[in-house]
Amino acid sequence: MMSKFETRLSDMDDCNITLFHDPEDPSSWVIRKWKKLLFWKRVELSRWFATREQAEEYARDLIEDCERRRRKAS
């Protein structure tokens, strides 16, 4: 279950990425990449940023990398 401060940016099986931001802490934007394992998921990567723009740019790069790997595998 996601927190009310978390936004899902990608929901691919191998590339589940979320953006977390608590409005009470305006300078913390967190990108997390999750790995699904049977009935649960675990954080595979977590990066903190000072601005939303930095966090979203990093997330776009992660998503593009996942899509490249997917195309390469097929």
Side-chain angles (χ1 to χ4, degrees):
M1 180 165 186
M2 286 183 27
S3 141
K4 68 178 180 177
F5 303 121
E6 202 163 14
T7 305
R8 185 170 292 146
L9 301 176
S10 173
D11 197 17
M12 293 183 273
D13 287 340
D14 57 339
C15 197
N16 192 322
I17 298 174
T18 60
L19 171 64
F20 178 86
H21 174 68
D22 184 348
E24 292 182 17
D25 185 4
S27 64
S28 71
W29 296 85
V30 184
I31 293 292
R32 292 185 180 127
K33 182 176 179 184
W34 301 85
K35 181 166 185 134
K36 292 182 183 178
L37 300 168
L38 295 178
F39 303 110
W40 65 91
K41 62 182 182 175
R42 70 176 174 89
V43 175
E44 188 175 72
L45 172 120
S46 181
R47 296 286 188 268
W48 291 64
F49 298 91
T51 68
R52 181 181 189 131
E53 292 77 22
Q54 292 171 335
E56 287 178 339
E57 181 178 339
Y58 184 75
R60 276 192 300 274
D61 291 343
L62 279 178
I63 293 167
E64 286 175 10
D65 186 49
C66 289
E67 289 172 350
R68 265 193 302 272
R69 276 195 243 141
R70 235 180 202 193
R71 284 191 300 263
K72 201 175 205 181
S74 28

